[in-house]
Amino acid sequence: MATDTRSTFDDGIVKPAAADDSLDEVLLSVGQRVRHYRRLHNLTLHDLAAATGLSASMISTVERGQTGVSVATIHAIAQALDISITALFRAAGPGDPVVRHEDQRRDLTSGGASRTLAITDPDMRLEFYVYDFEPGTASAGAATTHPGVEYGINLSGTISVEIDGAEYPLAPGDAVQYSTQSRHLMKNTGDTPAKAVWLNISRL
C-alpha cells in the first residue's frame, strides 16, 4: 500500500506527514528568508517580535525552520517586514527576470546617502545596491562590519572607500572588493554628486 506523504493543515498549523521531508525544506527556506529580510531591515529578534506581537523565541523558531508554525504567524512577520507573504515562500526559478524600478526598495543611509536595493536574493544571500551620494554623504554614520564580502564600482563623481582605517579613492570606472569583516565605509569626498553600484554577498 502506498504511503500517504501529503502534509496536513489543522487550525492553520503546518504539520508535515512523517514520510514527507519536502515541507521541512520549505520551512527552512522560509526561515532563511525571514532572517535575511530581518537583517536587511537592521532588526534584532526582539525588534521583530515587538513589531509583530510575537515572542522573540517564536521568531527564532520560524528562522530555524521548525514545524508547528502557523500561517498567521508567517503572515504577521511578512507584514512587519513590509513584504508579501509570497516573497517568503518564493523559490528561485523561471519567471519574470525584471525587477521594475518602481518595485525596488529605497532608503536613506545613516550617512545621508540615497540607496536603492535593485535586486535581493535570499537564497544566494546577495544584495545589489545603487548608491547616490551627495557631497559629504556616506554609506553609514561610521565604518561598520558584518559577515560577507562586497564588490563596488564608481560610476561617477569622487568616492573614497575606507577599509580598516585606510582610504582608497575611486575615480569613475574604478572598482573595489573587500571582506566586510573589515571596518568599511563609502563616502563622497568631492564637490559634485556621485553614483556607485555595490554588491553585498553575505556569508552567514
Side-chain angles (χ1 to χ4, degrees):
M1 183 175 64
T3 302
D4 183 3
T5 59
R6 293 174 298 174
S7 301
T8 60
F9 291 79
D10 183 15
D11 296 329
I13 304 296
V14 181
K15 297 180 180 179
D20 188 359
D21 293 330
S22 63
L23 186 56
D24 290 338
E25 295 173 358
V26 169
L27 291 174
L28 182 60
S29 179
V30 168
Q32 291 172 342
R33 287 182 173 86
V34 168
R35 183 183 296 112
H36 170 84
Y37 284 112
R38 175 175 64 79
R39 291 178 174 176
L40 186 63
H41 286 74
N42 295 316
L43 298 174
T44 66
L45 286 172
H46 292 285
D47 291 335
L48 187 53
T52 58
L54 302 168
S55 66
S57 62
M58 175 54 73
I59 302 295
S60 178
T61 294
V62 173
E63 292 191 355
R64 287 183 282 113
Q66 300 297 300
T67 57
V69 176
S70 71
V71 174
T73 293
I74 297 176
H75 183 256
I77 291 172
Q79 285 189 314
L81 294 173
D82 194 27
I83 57 175
S84 67
I85 190 171
T86 56
L88 295 177
F89 286 93
R90 185 179 298 126
D96 187 353
V98 178
V99 181
R100 303 296 172 185
H101 187 256
E102 59 269 21
D103 295 329
Q104 297 170 14
R105 176 172 166 261
R106 297 165 183 81
D107 62 9
L108 196 67
T109 71
S110 58
S114 297
R115 182 176 66 173
T116 300
L117 180 59
I119 294 174
T120 180
D121 188 331
D123 294 325
M124 298 297 292
R125 296 179 179 174
L126 66 82
E127 299 157 4
F128 190 86
Y129 287 100
V130 179
Y131 280 92
D132 288 290
F133 296 95
E134 290 297 322
T137 63
S139 59
T144 59
T145 64
H146 55 85
V149 60
E150 288 185 351
Y151 305 87
I153 183 168
N154 182 15
L155 300 180
S156 63
T158 304
I159 294 174
S160 179
V161 181
E162 177 185 336
I163 305 173
D164 281 341
E167 295 281 346
Y168 299 90
L170 301 182
D174 287 348
V176 65
Q177 59 181 348
Y178 50 87
S179 166
T180 53
Q181 294 187 26
S182 301
R183 297 189 65 80
H184 59 282
L185 180 73
M186 302 91 77
K187 52 192 174 183
N188 183 347
T189 54
D191 298 324
T192 59
K195 181 182 287 287
V197 294
W198 234 258
L199 175 65
N200 174 25
I201 302 177
S202 299
R203 294 172 177 167
L204 303 179

